[in-house]
Amino acid sequence: MNGTALRLAAAALLTLCGFCAGDTRRQKYTARRRTLEEIVGLLLRLRQEIDCRRTDLNRLYRALSFEYPPDSPMKAVFYQGTCFQNLHPPALLNREQAACFAECFSGLGHTDAKQECARLDYYLQRFDGFLTQARQDEQLSLSLDRRLGLAAGALLGLLVM
């Protein structure tokens, strides 16, 4: 192989790597949105169970831990914890979201059902806001990240040439 062919191969590889880097960033935003959707779903379910059925939280924790599919972000969270009060936030959440998650779940089970539902309503609003922002971030990422990664990789490829 001559030097020109090697440089062309390196340029093509850098371009492909740039595209892949952009796609990886996009996948991170999609995974965060999916995680937030599952958290909102969990909070809605908790609110219904507490408000309507007055379900025991320990029994509900065990039941919910079996409901999530193996590839679900919340499955790993339930696997690590033993009850709602010691759930660790999913790794995909940013600091503010993780702090809100920890605060929400650590306070569960300390008040009566009416106050608990009011708390859950507050956290539902917060996580709905996080979810709206995550959807916007994901849309922006869908339109830009792959292209920017491809462009950066192509630029590096040109520098190699």
Side-chain angles (χ1 to χ4, degrees):
M1 261 183 133
N2 63 19
T4 306
L6 220 66
R7 279 191 235 132
L8 279 174
L13 186 61
L14 284 171
T15 303
L16 180 64
C17 288
F19 177 81
C20 290
D23 190 55
T24 299
R25 183 176 157 93
R26 182 198 56 81
Q27 288 174 6
K28 183 182 98 175
Y29 282 113
T30 300
R32 179 176 291 156
R33 178 206 31 93
R34 186 175 162 219
T35 301
L36 287 167
E37 286 173 346
E38 287 189 7
I39 291 170
V40 168
L42 174 61
L43 291 174
L44 285 169
R45 173 84 185 269
L46 281 170
R47 192 190 185 301
Q48 289 172 343
E49 293 287 342
I50 291 170
D51 189 32
C52 299
R53 296 189 184 123
R54 309 262 196 267
T55 307
D56 175 50
L57 287 178
N58 291 326
R59 193 170 47 226
L60 181 59
Y61 181 86
R62 286 189 299 276
L64 287 174
S65 67
F66 291 111
E67 288 184 13
Y68 287 99
D71 65 337
S72 165
M74 290 305 291
K75 182 67 169 187
V77 170
F78 273 96
Y79 181 73
Q80 292 173 351
T82 57
C83 63
F84 287 113
Q85 291 80 11
N86 68 6
L87 282 180
H88 297 287
L92 294 168
L93 300 181
N94 65 30
R95 276 192 201 143
E96 181 184 8
Q97 295 163 349
C100 186
F101 182 94
E103 183 182 306
C104 172
F105 286 99
S106 67
L108 272 178
H110 299 297
T111 59
D112 68 349
K114 186 176 180 179
Q115 290 174 326
E116 204 68 68
C117 288
R119 276 187 78 252
L120 288 172
D121 286 338
Y122 168 74
Y123 285 109
L124 271 166
Q125 287 179 344
R126 298 252 342 247
F127 277 101
D128 273 337
F130 294 147
L131 181 56
T132 300
Q133 183 62 46
R135 286 181 176 144
Q136 291 171 353
D137 292 345
E138 182 184 22
Q139 283 302 106
L140 183 63
S141 175
L142 283 171
S143 65
L144 285 179
D145 283 346
R146 284 182 179 168
R147 289 185 214 154
L148 287 175
L150 185 66
L155 182 62
L156 287 173
L158 286 174
L159 290 175
V160 170
M161 300 284 296

